[in-house]
Amino acid sequence: QSALTQPPSASGSPGQSVTISCTGTSSDVGAYNSVSWYQQHPGKAPKLMIYEVNKRPSGVPDRFSGSKSGNTASLTVSGLQGEDEADYYCCSYAGITNVLFGGGTKLTVL
Amino acid sequence: QVQLVESGGGVVQPGRSLRLSCAASGFTFSGYGMHWVRQAPGKGLEWVAVIWSDGSKRYYTDSLKGRFTISRDNSMNTLSLHMNSLIAEDTAVYYCARHFSSGTLDSWGQGTLVTVSS
């Protein structure tokens, strides 16, 4: 199966909000409420930011939120801060034998 | 706290084999499924394989064509990835990650770099 589709880049000024999309198909994103989002700073391991579409792990600021409509999931970062500048990856369950990642979006804080 | 530490990476010639390990601590290892995910230099994340908590089921990404084998030793709290017939395209940082729920990997190791080159 193909990777999920994300925009390669996104940007916003400090304090603003930015939304990153993640488009899949009716066999993955559209079929399950099993979309997660990961933040990755350069040279670091990915960090779980959102799971099961819109749940936040303990310790993740509530500035991060997730949603889904049809085959597209979204990550919204509100009140942008400099430390939010990173790569973001979506991930979806795609059946018992498959986990799909998006291609990644580089978020720049202007 | 949860800790995952990968090891075993390095430079290997095309066609050779390599075994990666992931040492787990800070949680009940035998109670969780585990994944391997890789990231080629400058590229995105690619899911590689998953193994059930008891090792009874294992699944792989289709592109590997049977070259990799995921395994675990719950008595030693260790996850492994045996990689055979390595090709240049296998060059990547390999991460082990803990399964939380379908499509959710909640804890990741720091990764180990595998370079396939002659």
Side-chain angles (χ1 to χ4, degrees):
Chain A
Q1 284 186 274
S2 301
L4 307 176
T5 300
Q6 296 181 235
S9 63
S11 62
S13 299
Q16 289 186 331
S17 294
V18 64
T19 297
I20 299 170
S21 63
C22 170
T23 301
T25 70
S26 58
S27 297
D28 39 69
V29 174
Y32 308 97
N33 286 325
S34 300
V35 176
S36 55
W37 290 89
Y38 302 86
Q39 177 191 66
Q40 186 180 36
H41 288 108
K44 301 296 186 181
K47 175 187 176 183
L48 178 65
M49 303 300 284
I50 295 289
Y51 68 101
E52 295 172 5
V53 177
N54 56 15
K55 298 178 181 178
R56 273 181 292 105
S58 174
V60 172
D62 60 6
R63 301 184 295 102
F64 291 85
S65 62
S67 62
K68 190 186 86 166
S69 178
N71 297 336
T72 299
S74 298
L75 172 72
T76 298
V77 185
S78 304
L80 271 175
Q81 298 182 4
E83 67 215 47
D84 300 333
E85 185 162 295
D87 293 327
Y88 291 84
Y89 294 90
C90 63
C91 175
S92 177
Y93 180 68
I96 198 167
T97 63
N98 216 343
V99 172
L100 290 176
F101 283 97
T105 298
K106 182 176 180 60
L107 175 60
T108 300
V109 180
L110 302 171
Chain B
Q1 74 280 20
V2 175
Q3 190 167 14
L4 299 169
V5 180
E6 300 93 337
S7 60
V11 180
V12 59
Q13 293 180 329
R16 303 299 291 265
S17 299
L18 197 64
R19 174 184 174 180
L20 305 182
S21 295
C22 170
S25 60
F27 67 103
T28 303
F29 181 69
S30 60
Y32 289 84
M34 296 294 296
H35 297 257
W36 285 100
V37 176
R38 68 182 180 181
Q39 186 172 34
K43 302 297 185 181
L45 300 173
E46 180 187 21
W47 177 76
V48 172
V50 63
I51 186 168
W52 256 225
S53 59
D54 62 357
S56 60
K57 297 186 187 298
R58 316 168 195 212
Y59 299 104
Y60 304 88
T61 187
D62 290 343
S63 64
L64 291 178
K65 298 181 181 178
R67 296 185 297 116
F68 289 12
T69 300
I70 188 171
S71 62
R72 65 190 297 158
D73 184 341
N74 284 346
S75 68
M76 297 293 289
N77 292 344
T78 301
L79 175 74
S80 296
L81 185 68
H82 298 254
M83 304 184 294
N84 297 320
S85 304
L86 285 162
I87 59 178
E89 289 74 21
D90 295 321
T91 294
V93 174
Y94 285 75
Y95 296 100
C96 64
R98 189 176 76 169
H99 180 93
F100 176 78
S101 63
S102 296
T104 301
L105 286 62
D106 70 338
S107 296
W108 297 61
Q110 86 289 347
T112 187
L113 175 62
V114 173
T115 303
V116 182
S117 174
S118 54

